[in-house]
Amino acid sequence: MQMASSLALRFRSHLLRTASLLPSSFRRPPFQPSPPLLSAHRLLSTARRVAPRPRKSVDIGARARQLQTRRLWTYALTFSGLAGFVVIVLNNFQDQLVFYITPTDALEKYATNPTKARFRLGGLVLEGSVVYPASKPEVEFIITDLITDIVVRYEGSLPDLFREGHSVVVEGIVKPFTEEIKKEVSTNKVSEKARRLECYFCAAEVLAKHDEKYMPKEVAAAIEKNKKIIDEAAAASVAAEAPKTT
C-alpha cells in the first residue's frame, strides 16, 4: 500500500511539472466574468442625436401667383386648341359645302376672286345649244338665267332627264378659255354670246336627282327676278317708242 501511494504521488508531481513546461497557447485562460449588459436607457442616452432641420418659410402670396399663372396658361392652351379645332372643322365643312348660283353670280364671283372653289350652277338649258365637239369626247351646252349665258362643258353621257329649254343643275368650277377651245369654230350661233366671255364652266357632274322641272329655290328666285327686269325693260322701251309713233 505504501508503495502504491508513493507511485501515485510521483506520477502526480510528474504531471504537474509537464504541465508547467507546456506553452501558454495550450493553457486554459483564467476565468473572467463578462461585463454586465448595458440597459436600454443607457443605450438610448448614448445614441447620436440628429438636430432637426429648420423649416423653410413659405411665401403664400408667391405660391398663389404661381398657381394663378399656371391656371391662366392652362386656360389659354385649352382655348387655343379648341379654336384651332373649330377652324379646321369649319374649313373642311366649307370646302364640302356646295352653293347654288346663277351664271350672272358665277361670272361676278370669278371676276372678283378667280378661285377653283366647287359650286353648283343652276339655270335653263338654252334651246339649240347642245353640241358635241369632234375633237374631244365632251358635250357642250349653254346655261342661262335670261340675262347671262355661260358655256358648260361636260365629259360623259348626259342623263335621260336632261332636256333643252328646261332647268338643269351642274356641279363643277369656272375655268378660263384655253387657246385650243378658242380656236374651235362653232357653227352654233346660239353660243356666240357665251363664247365672247373669258371663261366657261367645267362640269364634273350633271345632276339628275329630280325631273326636268326641278330647280333650286335660289336659282328659281333669280330667274323670276330676271324675268321681271326683262319685262320692265321691254315695257320701258315700248313706252319710249310710243310718242315717236304718234
Side-chain angles (χ1 to χ4, degrees), residues 4 7 13 34 56 81 89 150 178 181 194 220 243:
L7 289 174
S13 61
S34 59
K56 296 182 180 180
V89 170
I150 187 171
T178 60
I181 297 176

Side-chain angles (χ1 to χ4, degrees), residues 111-129:
T112 55
N113 186 17
T115 59
K116 294 183 179 180
R118 190 167 179 172
F119 60 91
R120 289 180 180 177
L121 181 70
L124 299 174
V125 180
L126 202 61
E127 293 185 2
S129 64

